[in-house]
Amino acid sequence: MTLLRGRTVRYVARRLASTLVVLLVIATLSFVIFQLLPSDVSQASCGKPCTAQRRAEVRQFLGYDHSVLVQLWDFVRGVVVGRSYGEGGARVDCSAPCFGYSFRLSDTVASLIGQRFPITASIAVGGALVWLFAGVVGGVVAALRRGTALDRAALASTVVGVSAPTYLVGLAGIYLLGFKLDVLPVGNYVPFTASPGQWAYHLVLPWLVIAFTEAAIYTRFTRSQLLETMSEDYVRTARAKGLRERRVVVRHGLRNALLPVVTLFGLDLGVLLGGAVITEKIFSMQGLGALLVDSINNLDLPVVLGITLFSAVLIVLANLVVDIAYAVLDPRITESA
Amino acid sequence: MSASEYAPPPSATSAAVRAGGETVVSRFCRDRWAVAGVVVVVVLVVAAFAAPLITAINGQNPYSYAYRGALGDDGAPVGALGGVGLTHWFGVEPLTGRDLFAVVLYGARTSILVGVGATVVEVVIGGLLGAAAALFGGWTDRILSRVTDVVVGFPSLIFMIALGAFAPEGFPKGLLVVLVIGLLGWGSTARIVRSQCLSLMQRNFVTASRAMGAGPAHLLREQLLPNLASTLIVITATHIPINIGYEAALSFLGVGVPPPTPAWGRTISNAVAWIATDPWYLLAPAAALFLVTFAFNLVGDGLRDALDPRLAGGE
Amino acid sequence: ACDANSTGDEKKSDGKIHKGGTLTVYTSQTEFPFEPAISQSLAVTSQGLVHRRLTTWDIRPGHQPKVVPDLATTTGTPSDGGRVWTYKLKDGLTFSNGKTITSQDIKYGIERSFAPELSGGLGYHKALLVGGSSYKGPYTGKQLASITTPDAKTIVFRLNSAYGDWPWIVSMPAFAPVPKSADTKPSTYGTKPVASGPYQVQSYHQGTSATLVRNPDWSAKTDSVRGAGPDKIVFKLGQEDTVAAQQLIGDSGEARSAFGADPVPPSQLKQITANASAKSRVALSDPGALVYLAMNTQHGILKDVRVRQAIEYGVDKRAFQLNAGGTQGGSVASTLITPGIPGRASYDLYKAPAAGDVAKAKQLLAQAGVRSGTLRLVTRNENTYVGQAEAVQQSLKNIGLTAKIVPLDVNAWTDAITNDQGNYDLTVASWQPDFPSANGNIQPLFASSQIGGGNYNLSRYSNATVDTLIDKATSTVDPTAAQQLWAQADRRIMQDAPVVPLLYSRNAFMRGSAVSNFDDSGFPNYPNYLRVSLSS
Amino acid sequence: MTVEAPAGRDEPAGTDAVLAIRGLRIAFPAGGGPREVVHGVDLDVTAGRVTALVGESGSGKSVTALSVLRLLDPAVRVDGAVRFAGTDLMHADAATLRRVRGAGVGMVFQEPMGAWNPVQTVGVQLAEALRAHESAERPATGERVRELLAGVGLEDPARIAGSFPHQLSGGQLQRAMVAMATSAGPAVVIADEPTTALDVTVQAGVLDLFRSLAAAGTGILLITHDMGVVADLADEVVVLRSGTVVERGSVADVLTAPREEYTRTLLAAVPRLGSIPGQSLTKRPAPVARLRDVTVDYGVGRVRLGRRAGTPVRAVDGVDLELPAGRTVGLVGESGSGKSTLGRVLAGLLRPDGGQVVVGEVDLRTATGSRLRRVQREIGIVFQDPGSSLNPKHPVGRSIAEPLRLASWSKADAAARVDELLGAVDLDPGFAHRYPHQLSGGQRQRIAIARSLALRPRLLVADEPTSALDVSVQATILALLRRLQDELGFACLFITHDLAVVGAVAHEVAVMRDGRIVEFGTAQDVLVTASDEYTEELLAAAPVADPVEQARRRAVRLARHG
Ligand SMILES: Nc1ncnc2c1ncn2[C@@H]1O[C@H](COP(=O)(O)OP(=O)(O)OP(=O)(O)O)[C@@H](O)[C@H]1O
Ligand SMILES: Nc1ncnc2c1ncn2[C@@H]1O[C@H](COP(=O)(O)OP(=O)(O)OP(=O)(O)O)[C@@H](O)[C@H]1O
Ligand SMILES: [Mg+2]
Ligand SMILES: [Mg+2]
Ligand code: NI
């Protein structure tokens, strides 16, 4: 038994190690792409009017005059031993692990992510719970009432969900609930530590907006998977035991239908934790997504790279959790170690 | 003792044959909603194809500015319902005065092509790689899974900006969009397919097939695919509208189908800003997108149900 | 220069400044450091509340913009034919830390702006000051010799060549004083700077908010420009513009004493005009910044002046105007110097109906031997810009030319139009001068020194006569004489038709009902933050 | 054939029945209108008595049972009356139905493997059944579960309770199913082939359990194909054929003096122990497959994430076995002794942890990829659980043709071969178009057999291939196997619990217990002159189809055990 637990630990360790490779690949690709980007990185911080010479100075100062490999090496070394930028009186130190420094925002990337992540996480996790619940419940109802008007209504509403752009849903939500009915506040993030009540109150609208589209997809998934499992023999057994229909559906039908839903959920949550761009923008909540877009627009490579790697870590971790969840959800699955 | 000696009554025998003989097609055709979905899709595709002929009726095209008489000084359409009338069946576009009916009809060409094309690329790549990871396991699985991680974790936004500038200008934009969306979007499909395949591989009928010496290709085609169908159908049906919207996002990054070629996604995203002042602008393209999505989902549901023999005769 | 009077009653509010209250400003910007070296902002907006400079702008509705002394006693004393400029500081100037403001502090502030660590601001002075192009800032221990401070109250600038608009240059953010002793960590100085203006930074939350409170050491006696009305000013950052507009239209709670720093988008203007209360709270600027179609004079068929002139005639400016939201979006343009700039002369070399003169255009094309042609029209990829590009595309189609729209993201677009290659035919751009002098309209866009290399001569227009005219006007110290030269240059350039002036754009800004003195003049078609106050 | 309610002599007594079925008709939806498979069946289950429902495979036994608790799909048309203790179940509302299910009527399903939820442990599912009908005093569920499992003769109830269905043998699942069906103390137990996967000793134990339940007043409806079991347990017998009751009466009457021709044929087909085929066992041909010191341990080797690792089980322990060409080796033994595991090893589906498996010239332990696949194409296998071994999304014809397609047969050839095979296993060719769920247990099993024989294998591994077949069809299949073996000369490992069947087909017999082969010899040697104590016990426990003789044998067996 300890032997087996040892195996699980080794498996997880190996997955985490391979994560490093994934991150290195992503970092390299990011550097290469930034190199390929049509716009000059120094453009954004050159000032106005700009001269070729100033641009060259800025490039040199930011280190973009080096080759991709050198930049990558500098980055990796920064992570391991820290690095410093600039010289003389303006020198900025970034101690290990240094994931870069943004001159645009005058802060280390790690600290920026640290400030922004709670906002994104609040939006993502809450929204995810809402859509998971709504989607699964909707899917169950649609599946159990297959072919009825209720099923078609669920279909229609999910179609609205998947075909409506988040931007539209967000603005509609703001107009309707925020301004017209004036029941929910629009935007303005309140930290959880400041007031849990206010925190949730201000997040309700973003949660609903995020959940709107996603719930639709989950509804469809749940419906189709549940239709598959509900005709299995063990569901008949469960009925024969005299279980309540709800328990039959949830414990036997749904439980077996969840595998793809869980996969999708892990993935979506992982991606969302890396930044809910549109939602953050609409609700003026400065999470990682808003920061990422700003940084891309300003070609702030260190921040872009930092957020990218951070969200890659989240995605990889989410996948690991999902893979572990498979084994719990379907005990027949074993992972090749 | 022979089979005929204790055969069931003759009537039952012939019925048995027919019961089994029911095909997927006939089951599908029994679902009126699904058939309606097919009809809608076909009608729309034909209409999109014949757009020049149809818009010839009211003498409109989706390109010409026609602000004289159609737009007020503030750039908004004059007249009720966003300028709906005999010449402009769906009204006109604010700020330009273009005929919305023509815009929506021509837009169907781009949007359906991109929506369906990109989704097919996504589902085929994701499906194959996900299934391969599960089927081969071991190193194959490990490498494919990490590649998937990279694809999902990769900052696609920057990539698209770079691509927008680097794709040769002569490269067909529609194809480019299909490839960009497809090649960057297969990650989630791969993960889902992998997880389902892992589960299916433990089922006895797959074991039975392996026991007969079936290779991976055969397993995938014969055993896994029929049981993945419902998952793939859902992915396809939900991704089509998402990708149509995605096309709009891409056109803003310069990778999309460039204006003035109409596309629903772009029209919708333009119209969103007008929701308070000229809601009719949004209505036509949004309704069209809804209709297509709904139709594809109806077809998907119908197909799913038809492919599931255990639901046969359920209605 | 007030030719539009839709918000006439608002113009009269210029006057009493009520003290007290908390003013909120909604802005879509996410970074908001009060760092003078990297700032590109106008003298009359946020930076001006915290940092004073040698000179500043006097912007009032109904008056032409004027440069006025701020920390200095005059707008500058030229010598050596405009190559040397001398300033004396006023008495009784103190920083928010209680220290006296000296000329060394100003010199240090300017020197900082040369450091690569603090690049990104308005840097007109960098090329003008002797030795500026090779100077790398004070952090390596070097000083810039062309700025001298004979005593604590005097500062002297030595320029590479005569420059008549130098008084405007010293109104820019980099000319704000920075005490060297407080600049221990340059990269974060902007989050808690030492203030010289009526407000100091109380808190700055990157991406979320910046709060200003009164600077007790500021004295109204030395400052005739700043009203310093509200007790506290809160900038709410990263606000989505449509949502902010909606909030202001609603006019309840905090929004009552707030205004939006971003113009109301055209799609929402109609909603505002339909709502009497909202309509009364819109400040619609006079026509200002020039929106123009740049034609690459060094590329393809556009090298031929007749083709360019054909386009001048052929463009449907009315369609373009409607695309910008009609008359509320701007008025049709015909000159390069924009309304509101002193010395502007109004004329139209290519008279045509607002919808264009297709016949004349075709005739010119025929003369040039051009029957058809495909032009590469690069544009920013946001909705508005693509819409504008499409409007141009349609006009060109009318006269038989095909425009191929190439949407690019903002950085790629900037690079495409300002790089040395110049691989495009057309682009639609908008130009707001950084200071209200015709110089700011003409020189950056049409001097041949401004082609490529990150500069904005987007037509890649090069004409020796014009260059001489520009040089002459630049070095002319007498404003009236200079203005005449600029007007002359304007006309001369238009004869070569390197750009099609399309619109003088107008901006509409929304305020809450408790906000007063919120108005918008011709230049810089942007509200003057310095005088905004709250009604009691 | 009349489908009206049978009158006169066939009319059941009825008044004191707990469960009374009247005029039951069941019709499945089909392309050309509903297809009726049960044509007006009357059936009574009386408290304290055992009613046996016997009949041909596909005659409607299981669907009749399912219709009682309304467990058929709503799309299936069910007419007639079902009354349980005065309640009309046909029209009962959901709450009433739920109360009756499990607590009033317990149900043992025919195919135990598919009937368990694969993602929950057996213990959890049992506990769930207990909790669904919890009475006022809360029993300690965990303990109750283990008690129940022990009650059906499972030796390690704690491990069984903690195992997932796929970790248990067919017989273990079947017994757990019996435990679950009886857990809530139902007034009626419907047991659909409850002993098909059980060796005779264990089967005897389960039958004893039923007997004691009956003695305590439970009414039992026993569906079985095994006349020995009928003789052992039943009071009444009802014979069903093609959805119609053809004969009913007391067990003594029906088994010893059947009135109907059909019943007589049925009884005549019952194989009897000792009817060893007269095959000359001269020289042993060369072995097709060889097992050397094969060991299989479950529960070690792969990563099972996030789960409490189950107790490792040594399922096969140092087995040596040779399968000569043209010969059938019968493998019998206790439920859970490792028979199926051995079969999987032989088919190359499970890599043993130790030892050597050679089929043809290929060592299955080391072979991989196409090399392994080539060997596997020469091996036919019938899984113990035929239902789950058929792809639910394919018509069974397609499943039968799968090996043919793997061998690149043409479409037409394959179709013809499928028809031929269906005929050989006594099924109408029309069945090719049906889906697995539309078949009866026995029909599915025959499909699996047909598939295994499709390619003329060199080695056939048949795991309980006739467990769901009535004796007449079973006889057909056994004859088919013998004939094909003579023709093709394949080696066969025939796993079964039925000693009479072993006698009928096997040349040699291996007896397995706790993963080891405890006895091996010619069928004659093992079955007639058993030397091993366990084998002796097996022989003694095998029921015979004569109620009087069977009662005697039972008495003897009980006496031996004290
Ligand atoms: N995947 C597994 N993990 C753990 N234990 C298992 C697994 N599969 C089978 N076992 C155990 O191995 C033993 C042998 O199982 P096997 O299926 O071979 O028995 P069997 O002889 O076929 O029994 P039956 O006659 O009941 O079918 C049983 O005790 C069973 O519980
Ligand atoms: N879902 C279904 N759809 C169509 N036909 C079905 C379905 N289920 C069962 N049948 C048919 O109904 C008949 C009776 O089936 P049932 O399962 O009751 O047989 P059975 O008597 O239990 O046979 P066995 O002994 O083989 O288990 C069979 O001919 C079978 O093919
Ligand atoms: Mg049956
Ligand atoms: Mg077994
Ligand atoms: Ni049997």
Side-chain angles (χ1 to χ4, degrees), chain D residues 225-226 467 497-498:
Chain D
H225 61 274
D226 192 328
S467 65
H497 63 277
D498 194 329

Side-chain angles (χ1 to χ4, degrees), chain D residues 28 35 37 56-63 110 193 431 434 437-443 468:
Chain D
F28 287 98
R35 185 168 50 88
V37 297
E56 199 183 14
S57 167
S59 56
K61 305 181 295 290
S62 297
V63 292
Q110 184 174 9
E193 310 274 16
F431 276 94
R434 288 216 211 167
H437 74 277
Q438 295 173 320
L439 299 182
S440 80
Q443 289 164 344

Side-chain angles (χ1 to χ4, degrees), chain D residues 113 159-160 163 166-173 175 197-199 298-299 304 311 313-316 333-342 384 463-464 495 497 512:
Chain D
M113 283 154 158
R159 174 176 83 87
I160 304 285
S163 295
H166 72 278
Q167 295 171 325
L168 297 178
S169 80
Q172 288 165 336
L173 286 173
R175 278 177 282 168
L198 304 182
D199 62 291
Y298 282 116
R304 190 159 292 119
T311 339
V313 172
R314 172 148 294 189
V316 174
E334 201 178 6
S335 163
S337 58
K339 304 185 293 294
S340 300
T341 306
L342 202 60
Q384 185 172 11
D463 196 348
E464 307 272 14
I495 304 171
H497 63 277
M512 221 175 154

Side-chain angles (χ1 to χ4, degrees), chain D residues 343-386:
Chain D
R344 288 170 156 262
V345 167
L346 207 51
L349 293 170
L350 197 67
R351 249 171 244 280
D353 295 280
Q356 202 186 21
V357 192
V358 180
V359 174
E361 274 71 53
V362 180
D363 185 351
L364 294 187
R365 240 190 116 195
T366 51
T368 49
S370 55
R371 205 164 124 77
L372 176 62
R373 267 180 256 137
R374 246 196 327 276
V375 191
Q376 283 179 325
R377 282 185 198 166
E378 296 181 343
I379 307 175
I381 177 165
V382 183
F383 286 85
Q384 185 172 11
D385 179 26

Side-chain angles (χ1 to χ4, degrees), chain D residues 195-196 203 225-226 466-469 474 497-498:
Chain D
T195 59
T196 48
Q203 169 174 300
H225 61 274
D226 192 328
T466 60
S467 65
L469 301 179
Q474 173 172 296
H497 63 277
D498 194 329

Side-chain angles (χ1 to χ4, degrees), chain A residues 15 29 33 36 38 146 155 163 220 224-225 227-228 263 267 304 308 319 323 326 330 332 335-336, chain B residues 138 142 146 149 154-155 158-159 165-166 188 191-192 194-196 199 202 231 289 297-298 301 304-305:
Chain A
R15 278 291 292 270
L29 284 176
I33 285 181
L36 290 178
R146 185 182 74 93
L155 171 62
S163 50
R220 313 242 15 96
S224 91
Q225 292 301 314
L227 281 178
E228 297 269 313
T263 312
L267 210 65
V304 173
T308 299
N319 280 348
D323 283 348
Y326 287 173
D330 190 339
R332 291 167 296 185
E335 287 290 337
S336 44
Chain B
R142 255 171 262 157
R146 297 300 78 78
D149 282 348
F154 192 69
I158 323 174
F159 183 73
F166 269 84
S188 64
R191 293 278 313 170
I192 292 169
R194 174 179 177 271
S195 80
Q196 284 237 281
S199 188
Q202 309 299 322
T231 306
L289 176 58
N297 275 276
L298 283 177
D301 278 1
R304 201 222 78 86
D305 291 357

